[in-house]
């Protein structure tokens, strides 16, 4: 549904909105409704050509046939209606749909989260911390969204300017004071957020290697920062040199978080246990403790980013810490499956070698003595052969037992894909190959001892929040069922307890 049709109140002058544009057959063009889908055009619409892969001339002809009264395009097209020629159609479309909706992102505090990793976790943690502080908060990320009142898991991922503006308009209608949105690489590349201005931009992750290059030649950190208002703020990990360089090249204020005393918000891990981490957050001369059910160094840094964001808004550190402590879990992000007599089970979406290494090394610190790590890794057609080989090398190196199974690609391509991962394995005879994912999870949990830990690494379809959640929930259910079978077997067997005298002498 068009934002203009839903809100339906104001006209937009293209001459005023795009003063550098070239007008053909008209001195100006007034827009009340716009569409980027030629097949959806109705009488009175202005069509924006070049948003999808359809040839612009064919799409424009179809739009005019449907009743379009004008075209916004990057090139002169053979149609009879007036045209507005712009340098970038996607960028123009983002600004136009936002303008038609009354710029809803400016009606609340707008927070963007960009970076290589941790965007989803950081988005949800920021929303949780601010809600605990008493604000009505909307969020939108790869695992779901909320307009401040209703939470749902949509069928498609947030990807274009229309979807983003619609969500902001819903959040505004719901009376939200804050909106937090995950900005994917695809959104930044397609200029979907160009019509949105952010008060705060969080650059998540602590990696210091170059973020992917933008179309303009800079990093995508620069692209994300370009959407921040003139008096806005950039929040970043103090160890991320590339993000820091991008932020310093702007005139924006910068707030850092990390483990170094030089950071503005400092974190220090005090204790690690299975399924629980206790750490301190220090800001200025105030310190508060957080007891979190989400473990791992990556999660720790995402929580510091969330704390830094809430502190900027002048909330007490104790309230911020309470909000982080209250967060139970994030699906597929170091997610625990409860077990009383079986092995520990963790589901994590780590898919690159660096994250896999960090995840497994973190979990190893929680293992009891003699405990082993069982790693279930998915063979995936989306990886390049080099990426698959590197992942095979890291999973073999970091785990004690490696099980390779099918993921998004299913069992049909398993043999060809598993060979790509085995190319990076030092001992190809060591991993267990089980094509059926359900059988792989069941077999691994049966083989693992109560002192062991089973980590299921990704393999979930990322097409939309709903497909991701369905896949994560399916694996969680498989793990729970496998544990129930193990515990049922354990309960049916007699247990020989040592005599108290023997215990006293040990």
């Amino acid at each position: 549904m068009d934002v203009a049709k839903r809100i339906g109140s104001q006209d937009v002058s293209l001459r005023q909105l795009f003063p550098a544009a070239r007008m053909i057959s008209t001195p100006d063009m007034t827009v009340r409704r716009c569409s980027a889908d030629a097949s959806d055009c109705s009488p009175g619409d202005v069509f924006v050509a070049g948003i999808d892969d359809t040839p612009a001339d064919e799409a424009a002809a179809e739009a005019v046939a449907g009743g379009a009264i004008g075209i916004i395009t990057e090139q002169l097209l053979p149609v009879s209606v007036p045209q507005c020629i712009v340098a970038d159609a996607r960028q123009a479309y983002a600004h136009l749909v936002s303008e038609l909706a009354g710029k809803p992102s400016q009606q609340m505090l707008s927070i963007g989260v960009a970076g290589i990793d941790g965007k989803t976790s950081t988005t949800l943690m920021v929303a949780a911390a601010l809600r605990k502080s008493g604000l009505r908060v909307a969020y939108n990320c790869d695992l779901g969204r909320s307009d401040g009142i209703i939470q749902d898991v949509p069928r498609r991922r947030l990807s274009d300017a229309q979807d983003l503006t619609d969500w902001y308009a819903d959040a505004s209608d719901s009376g939200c004071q804050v909106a937090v949105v995950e900005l994917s690489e695809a959104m930044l590349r397609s200029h979907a957020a160009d019509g949105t201005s952010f008060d705060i931009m969080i650059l998540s992750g602590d990696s210091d290697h170059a973020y992917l290059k933008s179309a303009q030649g800079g990093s995508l950190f620069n692209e994300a920062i370009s959407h921040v208002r003139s008096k806005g703020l950039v929040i970043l990990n103090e160890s991320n040199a590339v993000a820091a360089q991008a932020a310093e090249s702007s005139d924006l204020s910068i707030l850092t978080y990390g483990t170094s005393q030089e950071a503005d918000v400092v974190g220090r891990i005090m204790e690690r246990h299975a399924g629980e981490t206790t750490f301190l957050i220090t800001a200025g001369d105030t310190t508060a403790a957080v007891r979190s059910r989400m473990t791992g160094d990556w999660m720790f840094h995402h929580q510091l980013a969330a704390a830094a964001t809430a502190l900027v808004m002048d909330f007490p550190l104790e309230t911020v810490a309470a909000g982080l402590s209250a967060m139970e879990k994030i699906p597929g992000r170091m997610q625990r499956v409860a077990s009383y007599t079986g092995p520990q089970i963790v589901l994590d979406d780590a898919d690159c070698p660096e994250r896999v290494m960090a995840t497994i090394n973190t979990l190893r610190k929680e293992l009891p003595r003699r405990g082993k790590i069982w790693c279930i890794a998915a063979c995936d057609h989306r990886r390049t052969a080099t990426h698959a080989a590197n992942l095979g090398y890291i999973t073999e190196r970091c785990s004690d037992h490696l099980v390779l199974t099918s993921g998004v690609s299913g069992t049909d391509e398993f043999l060809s894909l598993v060979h790509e991962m085995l190319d990076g394995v030092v001992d190809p005879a060591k991993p267990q190959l089980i094509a059926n994912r359900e059988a792989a999870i069941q077999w691994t949990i049966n083989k693992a001892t109560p002192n062991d830990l089973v980590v299921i690494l990704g393999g979930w379809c990322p097409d939309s929040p709903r497909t991701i959640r369905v896949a994560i929930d399916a694996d969680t259910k498989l793990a729970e069922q496998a544990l129930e079978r193990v515990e049922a077997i354990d309960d049916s067997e007699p247990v020989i307890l040592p005599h108290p005298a023997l215990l006293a002498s040990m």
Side-chain angles (χ1 to χ4, degrees), residues 50 68 122 137-138 170 198 225 239 267 287 301 305 350 406 434 455 473 491 500:
T122 302
V137 182
D170 288 340
F198 295 94
I225 291 172
S239 66
T287 299
H301 283 95
S406 59
I434 306 176
V455 55
D473 290 345
D491 290 343

Side-chain angles (χ1 to χ4, degrees), residues 110-123:
S110 184
I111 302 174
V113 183
I116 301 174
D117 50 66
K119 297 184 293 295
T120 300
S121 298
T122 302
T123 299

Side-chain angles (χ1 to χ4, degrees), residues 291-461:
R291 180 174 292 176
S292 174
R293 293 174 177 82
M294 290 172 288
T295 59
D297 293 340
W298 294 64
M299 283 294 186
F300 167 59
H301 283 95
H302 303 335
Q303 288 170 310
L304 290 182
T309 306
L311 290 171
V312 166
M313 300 171 67
D314 291 330
F315 290 116
L317 184 56
E318 295 80 3
T319 303
V320 176
L324 295 175
S325 297
M327 198 166 185
E328 294 286 339
K329 67 176 182 178
I330 297 178
R333 272 67 175 177
M334 297 295 280
Q335 178 187 343
R336 302 273 173 164
V337 178
S339 174
Y340 299 102
T341 59
Q344 300 178 54
I345 300 176
V346 174
L347 290 84
D348 193 74
D349 73 332
D351 193 41
C352 65
E354 296 82 5
R355 285 200 60 184
V356 168
M357 182 181 295
T359 296
I360 298 179
N361 287 344
T362 294
L363 294 173
R364 189 171 292 280
K365 296 175 184 177
E366 303 174 4
L367 276 180
R369 185 177 297 180
R370 301 178 186 174
K372 304 293 184 183
I373 296 280
W374 294 73
C375 178
I376 302 176
C379 302
D380 194 338
H381 69 281
R382 296 167 299 162
R383 303 189 189 110
T384 64
T386 301
H387 185 188
N390 288 338
L391 202 58
Y393 171 74
I394 291 297
T395 49
E396 179 198 33
R397 175 186 171 188
C398 294
S399 63
D400 299 294
H401 302 283
L402 175 60
V403 179
L404 299 180
T405 187
S406 59
V408 178
S409 310
T411 57
D412 293 342
E413 301 179 57
F414 176 71
L415 287 179
S416 60
L417 295 174
V418 78
H419 281 296
E420 293 180 352
M421 291 190 70
L422 289 175
D423 285 342
V425 172
V426 176
D427 183 4
K430 181 180 177 181
Q432 186 77 25
L433 311 183
I434 306 176
N436 183 281
R437 190 174 181 86
E438 179 178 355
I441 294 174
Q442 177 70 62
W443 181 88
T444 306
I445 293 174
N446 284 343
K447 289 291 184 181
T449 72
N451 287 333
D452 294 346
L453 186 147
V454 176
V455 55
I456 303 173
L457 295 174
W460 307 309
C461 182

Side-chain angles (χ1 to χ4, degrees), residues 23-251:
M23 294 294 179
I24 305 296
S25 301
T26 182
D28 193 3
M29 194 184 303
T30 301
V31 182
R32 174 156 290 191
R33 300 190 306 268
C34 75
S35 175
D37 183 356
S39 64
D40 190 44
C41 275
S42 56
D45 287 356
V46 168
F47 174 65
V48 185
I51 302 299
D52 56 24
D53 296 331
T54 306
D57 55 345
E58 296 178 11
E62 182 180 358
V64 172
I69 60 173
I71 306 292
I72 298 175
T73 174
E74 296 176 2
Q75 61 189 32
L76 186 62
L77 297 173
V79 292
S80 58
V81 298
Q83 300 177 51
C84 175
I85 301 179
V86 296
D88 191 309
R90 292 177 182 273
Q91 193 173 56
Y93 180 62
H95 284 285
L96 179 57
V97 295
S98 177
E99 196 76 23
L100 287 168
K103 298 182 178 178
S105 66
Q106 296 185 16
Q107 298 171 17
M108 65 199 79
L109 185 77
S110 184
I111 302 174
V113 183
I116 301 174
D117 50 66
K119 297 184 293 295
T120 300
S121 298
T122 302
T123 299
L124 293 173
M125 288 176 179
V126 169
L130 296 181
R131 278 200 305 268
K132 187 68 174 180
S133 302
L135 297 178
R136 176 167 290 182
V137 182
Y139 66 84
N140 202 318
C141 67
D142 275 354
L143 287 177
R145 68 186 178 189
S146 169
D147 62 3
I149 298 176
I150 299 174
Q151 299 182 23
D152 71 323
V153 183
R155 291 185 178 276
R156 68 174 185 171
R157 176 181 290 179
L158 181 65
S159 60
D160 61 32
Q162 186 71 69
D163 288 343
L164 181 60
T165 304
D166 278 347
W167 171 72
Y168 267 112
D170 288 340
S172 177
D173 292 343
S174 298
C176 285
Q177 296 128 309
V178 184
V180 191
V181 58
E182 174 182 346
L183 298 175
S184 66
E185 176 194 341
M187 290 180 66
L188 292 174
R189 289 193 183 282
S190 65
H191 300 290
D194 279 25
T196 304
S197 55
F198 295 94
D199 299 283
I200 299 174
M201 182 63 67
I202 303 171
L203 305 180
S204 68
D206 59 356
S207 175
D208 61 359
H209 60 78
Y211 194 12
L212 298 171
K213 296 295 182 182
S214 69
Q216 289 71 33
S219 75
L220 287 178
F221 283 134
N222 297 97
E223 184 74 29
I225 291 172
S226 70
H227 299 313
V228 183
R229 295 172 188 165
S230 59
K231 295 184 180 180
L233 174 70
V234 178
I235 298 177
L236 54 88
N237 193 310
E238 51 90 19
S239 66
N240 194 328
V242 176
Q245 183 179 9
E248 289 168 0
S249 64
S250 70
D251 295 328

